[in-house]
Amino acid sequence: MTAPPAGAEVKSTCGSYICVATAYQGRDYVQDITVTTKDGLPGTLRAFVGDYRGSKANVSRWRFVVNREIRAYPRLAVCGGLDRSGRFIENHCVMLP
């Protein structure tokens, strides 16, 4: 993950196939979501939080720039996903705060 902007906190976690990291401020402002495959092989990486949806095909790591305030109570789920060869592999979420 690239260096987050000043004042941002970073939280990350890994599932079986992907790792998801997010830079955020407070409990509602998501700056970015980085999704990385654990095996280094490419696939269609996705990121989603609230009404934000982003996808990138045939990469093993991608940083999705969100820069939005998204309200969810009591906690916000910032998620990434992996598809390969048209098949769903895994979704994994980081819970904020």
Side-chain angles (χ1 to χ4, degrees):
M1 182 168 187
T2 59
E9 296 181 60
V10 176
K11 190 167 184 181
S12 64
T13 184
C14 293
S16 298
Y17 299 95
I18 60 173
C19 292
V20 180
T22 185
Y24 66 99
Q25 291 183 357
R27 61 185 293 156
D28 299 324
Y29 193 84
V30 177
Q31 292 176 315
D32 61 55
I33 305 166
T34 300
V35 183
T36 308
T37 61
K38 288 175 72 174
D39 60 10
L41 298 174
T44 301
L45 297 181
R46 295 176 282 108
F48 48 99
V49 58
D51 62 354
Y52 173 85
R53 300 283 182 272
S55 64
K56 188 70 178 178
N58 203 33
V59 293
S60 61
R61 176 187 180 94
W62 194 259
R63 179 176 171 251
F64 299 88
V65 178
V66 181
N67 283 330
R68 290 178 50 190
E69 185 173 8
I70 300 166
R71 296 193 183 274
Y73 295 100
R75 298 176 76 190
L76 182 63
V78 177
C79 305
L82 171 64
D83 299 334
R84 284 190 175 140
S85 301
R87 296 180 56 196
F88 166 80
I89 304 297
E90 180 179 33
N91 283 341
H92 192 73
C93 298
V94 175
M95 300 301 289
L96 301 181

